[in-house]
Amino acid sequence: MDKKIELLAPAGDLERLKVTLLYGADAVYLGGEKYGLRANAVNFSLEELKEGCTFAHKLGKKVYFTLNIVFHNNDMEGVYNYMEEVVKTGIDAFIVSDPFIISYIKKKYPQIEVHLSTQNSTTNYETVNYFKKEGINRIVLARELSKKEIKEIIDKTGVEIEIFIHGAMCTCFSGRCALSNYVTNRDANRGGCSQVCRFNFKTNAEDFTMASKDLCLAEEIKEIIDIKVTSLKVEGRMRSIYYLATVIGSYRKIIDAYYKGNLTEKVLKREKDILSRVANRETSSQYFNHEASEKDQYYSGRIEISNQDYLGQVISYDTNKKWIKIYERNYFKIGDLVELFTPNGENIAFTVTELFTEEEIPCDIARHPDNIYYIYLDTNIEIVEYSMLRLLKKKTENIDI
């Protein structure tokens, strides 16, 4: 049997790293305080990076470090010393875009894999074969490829291929954006993207925007595995822990169901419903099934609704009182249908029947974000660290996969 496909998650900080790995990611990608494309994320100090690598490796999982800006002359000072310090933390791979780094890492640190970033906009098998000769271990393809093109690249190169399966899309070609620099003087190719593509521009008729809908390939996981993609990448180093736990948890269930031979329409529908409620934008398969068109874009009249399904993070469970202790994030009340979900992949839907304040005073409504509340729930499932609570519109079916 072929090696199981990798589920690769973003980690904007140490907490996100832990959450995504606990919810089922096989590896994480992250950036440090220099040379990465997410300058606005919290990112990792060297000490945090070392702690993250230790945490991941204890779980038998991996850490990939982004060093993928487009380097200018003034970026060169200190880069080699910085790479040396990063290697000492225990990372498993560098994700790079500038060719000069590839040969340096392969000679200096042969034990470290080198992955070519999507920032390089790789779209054909000859380019893949070129970088294969240069020693690249894996290539993150451009997002603008169809499944037929991806399969042809894999068949003609034999190189490990990573593709994006979920999250925000760039309006410009795989991140090669000049709009941000032109409009706001923030260079998207050096980590400063201001998301100009999501601005509303004034025209003579009405407001205009050019933003892409988000990518979602949940329905295509079977085909992606069948064409022998190596790694499934989720975008979102600046997303919330609830978003990451939900998205990674759903894709984990889809992937596991595939390998167990029970990826049914029922399983897929449940996870797609969950994925659709965690995001605030519409989704599309983008280029995977067809050439992307105006149907995969937002123009005028775009609506993005803030998600308020996330009710809180579970702190603990009192087995005597049958109380869940939660750190509340959004309004909920007695009578609401909610779902507890855990990093172990267990879910339980229930109606809130008893609710108490932090002072253990009965109440009807939890209306103060960042406060502590207790909810009655009689359950035998293991409620571990980073379990969470979300609002449901209707009862979901627990499906054993």
Side-chain angles (χ1 to χ4, degrees), residues 11 20 27 32 67 103 110 127 169 185 200 217 239 299 306 312 358 365:
T20 54
L67 202 74
S103 58
T127 299
M169 293 284 291
N185 202 31
N200 283 324
L217 294 181
R239 299 275 195 166
Y299 294 104
S306 177
E358 185 173 10
I365 299 172

Side-chain angles (χ1 to χ4, degrees), residues 330-368:
N330 279 301
Y331 169 102
F332 67 97
K333 63 186 183 304
I334 286 180
D336 280 345
L337 181 62
V338 301
E339 183 173 50
L340 172 72
F341 63 106
T342 80
N344 296 336
E346 295 183 286
N347 303 62
I348 180 169
F350 66 98
T351 300
V352 179
T353 57
E354 297 180 37
L355 184 61
F356 304 86
T357 66
E358 185 173 10
E359 294 75 27
E360 302 188 4
I361 300 170
C363 61
D364 296 326
I365 299 172
R367 63 167 90 244
H368 301 291

Side-chain angles (χ1 to χ4, degrees), residues 166-168 214-216 239 242-243 246-247 272-283 298 303-309:
H166 200 91
D214 280 3
L215 176 68
C216 177
R239 299 275 195 166
Y242 169 64
Y243 175 92
T246 302
V247 172
K272 281 175 55 187
D273 287 346
I274 291 171
L275 289 170
S276 71
R277 288 177 57 78
V278 75
N280 63 349
R281 300 188 194 116
E282 293 179 57
T283 60
Y298 286 115
I303 299 174
E304 296 184 2
I305 301 171
S306 177
N307 181 281
Q308 295 182 333
D309 287 353

Side-chain angles (χ1 to χ4, degrees), residues 192 254 315:
I254 293 170
I315 299 171

Side-chain angles (χ1 to χ4, degrees), residues 5 7 163 165-166 216-229 232 250-251 253-256 258-259 263 268 275 288:
I5 201 165
L7 179 57
I163 66 169
I165 59 164
H166 200 91
C216 177
L217 294 181
E219 285 190 344
E220 323 301 334
I221 295 302
K222 180 183 183 303
E223 283 192 88
I224 293 170
I225 296 174
D226 288 345
I227 64 175
K228 302 188 185 308
V229 168
L232 306 176
S250 285
Y251 277 104
K253 289 183 177 181
I254 293 170
I255 294 166
D256 289 349
Y258 168 87
Y259 282 104
L263 182 53
L268 193 55
L275 289 170
F288 190 79

Side-chain angles (χ1 to χ4, degrees), residues 188-200:
N189 301 301
R190 298 169 77 190
C193 179
S194 57
Q195 296 191 329
V196 172
C197 56
R198 300 199 182 278
F199 287 10
N200 283 324

